[in-house]
Amino acid sequence: MKKGSTITRSSRLKDVLSSPAGHDIIARLLYSLGIDEKAVSRGPIGNLSIGSLPKISFGKFDQAFLDALLTLLNSQAEYPEETPAKKEKKWWKEAVVYQVYPRSFRDSNGDGIGDIPGIIEKLDYLKDLGVGAIWLGPVFDSPNDDNGYDVRDYRKIQQEFGTMEDMDSLIREVHRRGMKLLIDLVLNHTSDEHAWFRKALEDPSSPCRDYYFFRRGGEKQIPNNWDSLFSGPAWRRFPEQEAWALHLFTKKQMDLNWDNPAVRRELAQIACWWLDKGVDGFRLDVISFISKDEGLPDGNPVIGQLMGFTGVEHYFHGPHLDQYLQQFRRESFGKYDSYTVGECAGNGIMLSRLLTGDDRGELDTVFNFDHCENPKRKRFDLYTFDLRPMARELLRWQTEYSPHCWPTVFFENHDLPRMTSKACPDGFCRKELAKLLATMEFTLRGTPYIYQGQELGMENCPFPSLGDFRDVETLNKYSELLGKGMSPRRAFRHILCGSRDNARTPMQWDDTRMAGFTDGPSSWIMVNPDHRDINVETEDGDPDSVLSYYRRMIRLRRGSDALIYGDFFVGNSSRDVLVYERKGEDGRYVVELNLTPRFQKRTISLERLERILGNYEKTGQILHPFEANVYKVR
Ligand code: TEU
Ligand code: CA
């Protein structure tokens, strides 16, 4: 198929794979049907027409779905240029990034809430770990409906976290230690308490009204069928005005209208204001959602079911996303020596190529989450996570993402339960698993991200009751499940495994009652009882601890051109054992990973290989559960 030509019902599946949106969408569809993408690009399925999808899916995908799919496929006509890659060396390709969740890192004044002075107290710990940059969760003034992801004032610090002077000294102290600071900008939406939204409500004729998506309509006239990602409809009603406003997240997180040039200007000014203060870049919250299809049309129900939320096809990579990002970069961070990572769920390899190519002038890197759950599974499902499909997905990003692009490598963040608990719920291989993940994290090509506590092998928290949860998404989910007729006991099990609060319990500094997080009597969310064994102080003195392994792994990566910039090759692997190689100025490294909690046969010969790191004391003929080894080729 020729570039830019229209996709129709008679187009063949394998042709669609050559268009960026088509590639990512078809790949995702096949994933949900359990069909390997190669069966389409190379095998006979590729010759089937799009029009045959209803038939091969046994009606799962109907005619309306086909229409929606064709519209979507044809909406994203842009192709990446095929110019030579720049392959520049950059600080952000070399740095290990550490994500700090401010509320739960360290409380300096005993009120039970983590704060900026608390973070400053712990900078030497991060430096010592080998961290190159810190991603700081949002610390802006906020009514805290979604722990700071609902911003009331972008130029003010949340009182509980400290003052602007504290923030200035954080920037200074980070820089003094040779590290960089990235802040978390939430620009898809503001709090309903932001001055713009308040003005928009008070005076519907003010220019601020068009900063948001207001639609007129009575109680029964909801503007469309989109779901909020945090349960319920994506529209909030303002009865006194006979109007509705759009919120993809909580009722207090109002979506900004990026189609309004004034909004884009204001947001670029906010970014510049922080860059001028000295921050080194941004993590851009749900940035891929900023452009919505014109007219906000209804979402297709089948796509909705597939993706978990109705309406996503109208904003996950909207019509003006690339253009808005180019403008945003030009007018803000593009003028600085900065680094920007965008949260871009749902954008697969090809669409991310558009977002991050070094010839595109948009973002530096993105977070994609396709590897974070197993095929056909969602976060709140009860299941034991299998590392094998995750590894396959990560490998695709290693081998198919363009040389123009730089991946990110991560397993955890503040929205995801702990990987240790997901993949090893009974905990018997916790340390081995945590070390295996570290081995992958620092030997794959891309910027590695550690989420606080991951370096200790922290686990999910056994929250005893509903009252112990804090996260708005979790609480909404619980009501949603009860509303669907699920028993309270069962609904509780679902939130226990999927809740974001699992990652948000306090950082575990020592084995004392409050884990060294606070000197006060209590904390805003419970401390995980496993802190008696899993904590910085205990692990610090133990050469066999997860923390010690992280330090060694990071040291190895930091000194190695091969592990950072080197070429990547897949080695002789089996279904259960993954082997890959990195090659650069300092030689060749071979990484060997048993992705299963079972014993497995080795797939390579160790002749000419010198083992330099591993998560078992020795390696034998047979690989132990989750065994990981790094070898240097002699
Ligand atoms: O997350 C956006 C987001 O899409 C996730 O919360 C997602 O719903 C979940 O991870 C699905 O697995 C960002 C922030 O990271 C999150 O903390 C905020 O709550 C959200 O945006 C709204 O700002
Ligand atoms: Ca505090």
Side-chain angles (χ1 to χ4, degrees):
M1 195 171 68
K2 276 216 276 333
K3 287 188 176 182
S5 56
T6 308
I7 299 166
T8 66
R9 270 163 206 266
S10 51
S11 305
R12 290 180 306 172
L13 280 174
K14 73 173 176 205
D15 291 334
V16 180
L17 279 176
S18 64
S19 103
H23 174 276
D24 292 353
I25 293 157
I26 297 289
R28 179 112 194 185
L29 274 180
L30 295 170
Y31 197 60
S32 79
L33 290 171
I35 300 174
D36 191 341
E37 191 188 308
K38 289 200 181 74
V40 176
S41 53
R42 299 189 199 142
I45 301 176
N47 292 323
L48 295 174
S49 66
I50 294 223
S52 66
L53 266 180
K55 216 162 127 203
I56 61 166
S57 70
F58 302 104
K60 180 170 175 188
F61 305 126
D62 57 9
Q63 293 300 329
F65 168 82
L66 261 195
D67 292 335
L69 182 66
L70 287 173
T71 313
L72 188 57
L73 293 178
N74 289 315
S75 65
Q76 185 47 261
E78 220 178 333
Y79 282 83
E81 296 281 339
E82 274 144 34
T83 52
K86 291 191 189 131
K87 294 197 176 168
E88 285 168 312
K89 295 204 168 175
K90 294 275 187 192
W91 64 261
W92 49 265
K93 295 183 178 172
E94 297 172 18
V96 170
V97 185
Y98 188 97
Q99 181 188 354
V100 168
Y101 194 69
R103 245 185 141 62
S104 305
F105 196 58
R106 160 76 189 152
D107 170 26
S108 71
N109 62 354
D111 66 356
I113 298 171
D115 46 51
I116 297 173
I119 299 169
I120 297 175
E121 279 178 36
K122 299 295 185 183
L123 289 179
D124 287 331
Y125 166 76
L126 298 181
K127 179 71 192 164
D128 191 42
L129 179 61
V131 166
I134 297 167
W135 152 18
L136 180 70
V139 291
F140 316 103
D141 177 44
S142 157
N144 242 352
D145 193 44
D146 183 21
N147 282 6
Y149 284 92
D150 47 321
V151 179
R152 184 162 48 202
D153 186 342
Y154 293 96
R155 294 181 176 85
K156 209 169 139 195
I157 298 295
Q158 170 83 326
Q159 221 172 22
E160 308 171 310
F161 290 155
T163 60
M164 194 55 85
E165 286 68 49
D166 293 330
M167 186 65 184
D168 289 331
S169 52
L170 177 65
I171 299 174
R172 242 189 347 264
E173 292 298 316
V174 167
H175 287 164
R176 204 163 65 78
R177 288 168 177 79
M179 298 187 285
K180 306 275 188 182
L181 187 69
L182 314 174
I183 61 169
D184 200 329
L185 274 187
V186 190
L187 304 180
N188 172 69
H189 43 264
T190 72
S191 163
D192 62 347
E193 298 182 29
H194 192 286
W196 299 334
F197 194 81
R198 287 210 308 259
K199 207 173 285 164
L201 263 193
E202 269 159 36
D203 174 10
S205 65
S206 99
C208 285
R209 186 79 167 186
D210 189 50
Y211 277 31
Y212 299 89
F213 293 97
F214 277 95
R215 293 291 180 271
R216 293 201 58 80
E219 201 182 341
K220 297 234 162 69
Q221 295 164 299
I222 190 159
N224 68 24
N225 67 353
W226 294 5
D227 287 324
S228 154
L229 274 76
F230 289 166
S231 303
W235 292 92
R236 168 164 161 199
R237 194 167 135 71
F238 295 90
E240 58 298 337
Q241 305 195 349
E242 283 290 290
W244 300 79
L246 178 71
H247 64 89
L248 291 179
F249 294 91
T250 76
K251 289 187 171 61
K252 285 176 67 66
Q253 291 170 300
M254 313 315 299
D255 278 65
L256 281 166
N257 174 16
W258 277 65
D259 297 327
N260 181 335
V263 169
R264 304 203 296 273
R265 204 173 317 121
E266 298 254 26
L267 298 178
Q269 279 165 9
I270 289 167
C272 288
W273 192 84
W274 280 102
L275 288 160
D276 288 335
K277 252 191 179 303
V279 304
D280 304 286
F282 306 109
R283 179 262 187 186
L284 295 177
D285 188 65
V286 288
I287 198 68
S288 57
F289 290 6
I290 57 175
S291 167
K292 278 91 175 167
D293 268 337
E294 206 181 312
L296 312 179
D298 271 346
N300 175 270
V302 180
I303 299 188
Q305 230 188 17
L306 207 64
M307 310 298 286
F309 309 97
T310 303
V312 285
E313 70 270 32
H314 296 301
Y315 58 75
F316 84 101
H317 190 122
H320 307 293
L321 175 63
D322 296 287
Q323 173 204 332
Y324 292 164
L325 287 177
Q326 282 159 7
Q327 182 188 4
F328 191 61
R329 184 184 187 105
R330 243 185 356 256
E331 292 176 5
S332 64
F333 57 85
K335 299 189 272 187
Y336 300 73
D337 174 25
S338 69
Y339 166 61
T340 298
V341 53
E343 191 195 20
C344 296
N347 284 263
I349 289 179
M350 292 294 277
L351 289 173
S352 298
R353 163 71 181 85
L354 293 175
L355 294 166
T356 60
D358 55 17
D359 47 354
R360 299 277 306 165
E362 299 185 27
L363 304 169
D364 294 314
T365 56
V366 291
F367 291 132
N368 168 279
F369 301 91
D370 291 347
H371 65 288
C372 297
E373 302 299 336
N374 283 164
K376 302 187 202 175
R377 298 292 192 171
K378 301 211 170 74
R379 179 156 45 93
F380 287 97
D381 292 349
L382 302 167
Y383 76 104
T384 301
F385 187 84
D386 185 342
L387 298 186
R388 293 169 301 178
M390 175 192 79
R392 274 203 296 279
E393 185 63 25
L394 290 176
L395 281 193
R396 292 199 327 120
W397 287 79
Q398 294 290 305
T399 54
E400 294 170 30
Y401 204 21
S402 139
H404 285 272
C405 302
W406 189 257
T408 57
V409 186
F410 71 96
F411 301 106
E412 293 188 0
N413 68 29
H414 64 297
D415 294 332
L416 299 168
R418 297 286 184 177
M419 232 354 146
T420 42
S421 301
K422 284 178 74 154
C424 182
D426 55 13
F428 82 104
C429 284
R430 178 187 66 87
K431 279 169 68 176
E432 291 73 20
L433 169 63
K435 292 176 186 176
L436 174 139
L437 293 172
T439 312
M440 276 189 105
E441 173 126 33
F442 303 112
T443 56
L444 287 174
R445 175 172 180 264
T447 299
Y449 281 78
I450 307 171
Y451 177 67
Q452 65 182 48
Q454 181 189 325
E455 78 278 22
L456 308 176
M458 272 179 72
E459 302 171 295
N460 281 355
C461 182
F463 295 101
S465 72
L466 190 65
D468 295 299
F469 287 98
R470 296 288 176 269
D471 178 24
V472 58
E473 182 205 40
T474 306
L475 300 172
N476 289 355
K477 190 74 188 179
Y478 184 75
S479 319
E480 182 193 311
L481 294 176
L482 292 191
K484 284 182 180 158
M486 193 179 275
S487 74
R489 258 182 82 112
R490 199 164 167 82
F492 188 79
R493 284 185 59 207
H494 282 280
I495 58 167
L496 197 55
C497 88
S499 175
R500 307 191 296 180
D501 280 338
N502 280 309
R504 299 178 180 186
T505 59
M507 174 70 179
Q508 296 170 185
W509 299 103
D510 59 36
D511 65 0
T512 60
R513 199 177 70 85
M514 297 309 289
F517 163 68
T518 176
D519 304 330
S522 60
S523 52
W524 73 276
I525 188 170
M526 70 181 275
V527 172
N528 193 327
D530 70 8
H531 76 276
R532 299 279 174 200
D533 305 313
I534 304 175
N535 65 69
V536 172
E537 199 179 71
T538 306
E539 296 195 23
D540 197 29
D542 172 8
D544 185 45
S545 68
V546 176
L547 179 60
S548 299
Y549 191 83
Y550 263 80
R551 289 194 177 130
R552 285 199 293 275
M553 228 22 264
I554 294 174
R555 207 175 314 129
L556 177 68
R557 180 183 187 274
R558 293 211 329 171
S560 164
D561 171 78
L563 293 179
I564 298 175
Y565 292 110
D567 295 328
F568 176 94
F569 309 95
V570 184
N572 192 27
S573 307
S574 68
R575 215 171 83 91
D576 303 311
V577 178
L578 171 64
V579 176
Y580 55 84
E581 203 177 296
R582 301 294 309 274
K583 190 175 146 214
E585 282 163 15
D586 52 322
R588 280 162 62 194
Y589 293 82
V590 173
V591 179
E592 178 187 48
L593 307 162
N594 174 2
L595 300 169
T596 72
R598 293 173 293 280
F599 289 88
Q600 299 293 352
K601 264 215 235 87
R602 164 161 284 128
T603 57
I604 50 170
S605 143
L606 299 190
E607 233 177 292
R608 296 188 55 226
L609 296 184
E610 181 197 352
R611 183 166 174 267
I612 50 175
L613 258 177
N615 60 354
Y616 283 86
E617 208 186 310
K618 289 201 200 95
T619 188
Q621 276 310 321
I622 298 284
L623 294 172
H624 290 87
F626 293 129
E627 181 168 338
N629 296 303
V630 182
Y631 306 94
K632 190 92 192 273
V633 180
R634 274 198 277 257

